[in-house]
Amino acid sequence: GEDVEQSLFLSVREGDSSVINCTYTDSSSTYLYWYKQEPGAGLQLLTYIFSNMDMKQDQRLTVLLNKKDKHLSLRIADTQTGDSAIYFCAEILTNSGGGADGLTFGKGTHLIIQP
Amino acid sequence: DAGVIQSPRHEVTEMGQEVTLRCKPISGHDYLFWYRQTMMRGLELLIYFNNNVPIDDSGMPEDRFSAKMPNASFSTLKIQPSEPRDSAVYFCASKLPQTGAEQYFGPGTRLTVT
């Protein structure tokens, strides 16, 4: 079955870059996502990447995709205290009927910002 | 738009009681998803609907869990009887029909079963 793996914690200094890594197993995934969850809140989509892309940049966020290794990363430049949250990697889940609508999430990476 | 609305935000109940969680998706979204988040298992997809029809319920843990979507603007997730291990945050999400379209999450219902 599908599985998405992430490190549980990442600690960085304010102003440095944060790199959050993720590995996935479903090679047929067409979309890969990064969601952000702040305390007591739901999930917010940060960015996504199509599987035929290697890189996507959106302001301070850079997503890198290595399809061969099934490795996805999220880089946050100039990390700020407001970036403190849990970051989830997710892939589209292919269901038993062949449809692909639900998401399989990693357990999330807690990003801790040091002053 | 108000976004995905869930109620209640917090629910505390005793083991054996029936619990009903409610969700109102974003208007115009054809897909509705129920997820459960726990420390041990992370975020798990329980069930999802397309045009009010359940498409995949393979994530529903047991027969004690049931979900309905009587119309395009309302869905319920029911647990009967509830058990302490059902304690979790339950999220509802909705999206447009296009493949890969963003799923918009509600704020979640934090369920505690004592």
Side-chain angles (χ1 to χ4, degrees):
Chain A
E2 296 83 359
D3 201 6
V4 179
E5 300 283 344
Q6 299 178 243
S7 299
L8 288 182
F9 295 96
L10 175 66
S11 178
V12 298
R13 289 185 183 274
E14 188 176 1
D16 287 352
S17 292
S18 306
V19 180
I20 303 170
N21 294 301
C22 167
T23 57
Y24 62 97
T25 56
D26 189 349
S27 58
S28 63
S29 288
T30 52
Y31 293 80
L32 294 147
Y33 304 84
W34 284 104
Y35 277 83
K36 176 182 180 181
Q37 184 180 32
E38 296 182 354
L43 277 73
Q44 174 194 4
L45 180 67
L46 277 181
T47 186
Y48 66 93
I49 189 168
F50 294 112
S51 60
N52 62 358
M53 297 169 65
D54 298 324
M55 186 182 87
K56 180 179 180 182
Q57 188 154 2
D58 183 2
Q59 299 183 338
R60 291 192 298 123
L61 305 178
T62 303
V63 179
L64 294 177
L65 174 61
N66 182 328
K67 270 199 85 172
K68 176 175 170 291
D69 295 337
K70 296 179 189 171
H71 181 266
L72 184 73
S73 68
L74 173 69
R75 178 176 181 269
I76 305 172
D78 187 24
T79 309
Q80 303 297 309
T81 55
D83 296 324
S84 180
I86 305 175
Y87 291 81
F88 291 90
C89 172
E91 63 176 347
I92 285 187
L93 172 67
T94 303
N95 63 39
S96 55
D101 299 301
L103 296 177
T104 298
F105 287 88
K107 285 194 168 55
T109 299
H110 294 244
L111 179 61
I112 300 164
I113 315 300
Q114 299 173 5
Chain B
D1 199 311
V4 176
I5 299 172
Q6 291 187 247
S7 64
R9 292 294 310 276
H10 301 272
E11 176 81 35
V12 181
T13 191
E14 291 184 347
M15 183 174 65
Q17 297 298 307
E18 177 179 296
V19 174
T20 300
L21 311 180
R22 297 173 175 79
C23 174
K24 182 181 189 309
I26 292 173
S27 177
H29 284 195
D30 293 348
Y31 283 81
L32 183 140
F33 304 82
W34 283 102
Y35 291 90
R36 176 173 69 175
Q37 185 179 31
T38 61
M39 289 292 291
M40 291 299 295
R41 301 174 68 88
L43 269 159
E44 303 171 281
L45 175 65
L46 299 178
I47 185 172
Y48 75 92
F49 296 83
N50 179 21
N51 289 320
N52 314 337
V53 176
I55 301 300
D56 186 354
D57 65 354
S58 59
M60 296 285 263
E62 301 171 34
D63 292 344
R64 297 184 296 106
F65 286 69
S66 63
K68 294 182 180 179
M69 193 164 184
N71 58 62
S73 59
F74 184 66
S75 177
T76 59
L77 178 67
K78 187 175 293 186
I79 308 172
Q80 166 64 19
S82 59
E83 297 183 3
R85 60 195 168 114
D86 300 331
S87 297
V89 181
Y90 291 81
F91 288 104
C92 177
S94 69
K95 79 173 187 78
L96 290 168
Q98 291 85 356
T99 299
E102 176 181 355
Q103 291 190 23
Y104 291 81
F105 281 76
T109 296
R110 181 172 294 278
L111 173 64
T112 303
V113 183
T114 60

